[in-house]
Each structure stands twice: as C-alpha cells, then as structure tokens.
Amino acid sequence: MLRAAAAAGLVGSGALAAAAWHRAARAGVRQVAVPPRSLLGREASSSPLAEAGGCYADAFCVRVAAPSATAAPGALFARAFFGSPVFRVERALLAALGFRGPTDAELSSMAFDAPGRDRVAAFTLAASTVAADGSSELLFRWAVHGRTWLAVRVLEGNAELELLFGSALLDVPSRGRGGASRALALGWAAVQPAHALFSRLLLAEAAAQYTCTLTRPHGGGEGPGARLERHR
C-alpha cells in the first residue's frame, strides 16, 4: 500500500515525523472510535473476518468553523481532502502506477454524488449519505479490501463542523496463514503507527484546505453556516 510506504518513510525521518505530529496536534486532530452506525462502521462490522479480528478500521476527527453557506459540505470536504498538498503526492504516485485522473480542474468541480462513477485515482465512491441537517458521509473503495471514509457532522448550534476521516482494511494479513502471510502481518503491524501519524497529517492538511479555499457561494442553497449567520 503506497500510503503505508509513504507513512513509513515519514516516520523513518524523526524530524519529519515530529513536524507532522506537531502540525496535526496544532490543528486539533484526534483519534476517535469508528461510529458503528456510519458507512465505515457498518462496512467493517459486516466483513466476514470482523469477529476473527481480521478487519482493521480507524477514524480521526477535527473541528472547523462552519462556512457561511454551502449546499454540499461533504463534497467540499472531499475536494479539500483529495486536493490537499499531502494527498497530491499520493495521487502522483498512483498516477505513475496507472491510476490517473482527475486533474485538479476536474476535481474542483466534482460533486461526489455518483457512487460507482466518481473516482479519484484508485479511490472509487462506493456509497454516500446526506442527512437533513447537512451532515454527510462518503465511502470510497480502493484495491479489493480497502476503504476510505470521509464525513462531515454539523454540530449543535451550527457554529462548527466536525470533519472525520477513516480507513479500513477488511482483510488484515494474519500471522497464522503461512510464511508469506506472516511476513505481511509483521509488515502491517510495523506500519500501523506510521499509518496513524500519516492519517492525522492528511486530515490536518484537508481541514486547512477546507477552511482556506472556502468561498461564499453565489447561490446553491443554504448550508448550516447560513443558518448560523442569520441568527447572529
């Protein structure tokens, strides 16, 4: 997995790892339990290997100020996530392996509302939900057993949003499956701390991108922040 390799390289450099940790901590990124009723939680729990401990899932969150208005905070978060400087490196690596597209211009206009068709490099949108309050979830598939989850929660009072990023590996290599599997299992165990650190950094950068690229829409519906603005 390219992300795990990149993460391991990051942790391999103590200075880079410290900088990444500081960046994520300053942004307020924290690890949380995977919400069991979320798209990621249901996907992980439905895996045949879940009860045997052969499924890995994690989630991280950060809070940001609610935008003045946006009709689709989930799509805005997805564009910020996949367009962040950190993820652009991963997109470049995947492009070298044949997983091309979209361009930055194409990404900026993606609505992320077409499961099975919306794709960023190796990540294909598998499912999406939008709640009445504007909270939304996007679940992406990569490879056969990989999942990436992005979610936006509108918090009470509409003053803040909670951005969540999670990953799942539905078939974790087991040490009891033979020599090759034992080697993979040891490798997976070794990169888990790096994966967690890299996930924190990805979310911190996505949150910064989400906040910095926010613009007031010219139409397009009232979002949670618009309600906040009206009540001030």
Side-chain angles (χ1 to χ4, degrees):
M1 184 168 115
L2 280 176
R3 186 178 302 170
L10 175 66
V11 171
S13 170
L16 286 177
W21 181 267
H22 178 70
R23 175 74 181 89
R26 188 173 57 185
V29 176
R30 58 192 176 90
Q31 187 164 5
V32 296
V34 175
R37 299 179 65 181
S38 67
L39 291 177
L40 183 65
R42 293 200 299 267
E43 187 86 350
S45 63
S46 65
S47 168
L49 299 173
E51 292 186 5
C55 176
Y56 172 86
D58 62 23
F60 300 84
C61 78
V62 65
R63 291 188 177 187
V64 298
S68 58
T70 176
L76 186 63
F77 179 34
R79 292 195 291 269
F81 180 86
F82 290 117
S84 67
V86 174
F87 203 89
R88 283 181 183 177
V89 176
E90 186 166 340
R91 284 168 57 197
L93 293 172
L94 288 168
L97 294 177
F99 296 101
R100 300 185 181 279
T103 64
D104 286 344
E106 291 168 339
L107 177 62
S108 68
S109 63
M110 289 181 68
F112 291 97
D113 59 358
R117 295 199 302 273
D118 284 340
R119 182 178 62 83
V120 178
F123 301 82
T124 301
L125 181 64
S128 63
T129 64
V130 181
D133 67 352
S135 298
S136 60
E137 296 181 63
L138 299 170
L139 183 70
F140 296 85
R141 286 195 178 100
W142 47 268
V144 177
H145 301 293
R147 302 292 185 269
T148 289
W149 173 68
L150 301 175
V152 178
R153 284 179 180 167
V154 179
L155 301 179
E156 187 176 353
N158 300 316
E160 290 183 308
L161 300 178
E162 195 169 61
L163 306 180
L164 297 105
F165 161 48
S167 303
L169 192 58
L170 304 184
D171 187 5
V172 175
S174 168
R175 298 185 187 185
R177 298 186 193 176
S181 290
R182 278 197 297 272
L184 286 173
L186 290 171
W188 168 243
V191 302
Q192 277 191 54
H195 162 77
L197 176 58
F198 198 59
S199 294
R200 290 173 184 270
L201 180 60
L202 275 171
L203 182 55
E205 290 296 324
Q209 188 86 348
Y210 183 95
T211 301
C212 291
T213 61
L214 219 49
T215 57
R216 295 180 182 273
H218 303 287
E222 183 183 71
R227 296 193 292 273
L228 169 68
E229 194 71 23
R230 192 175 62 241
H231 291 159
R232 284 178 177 171

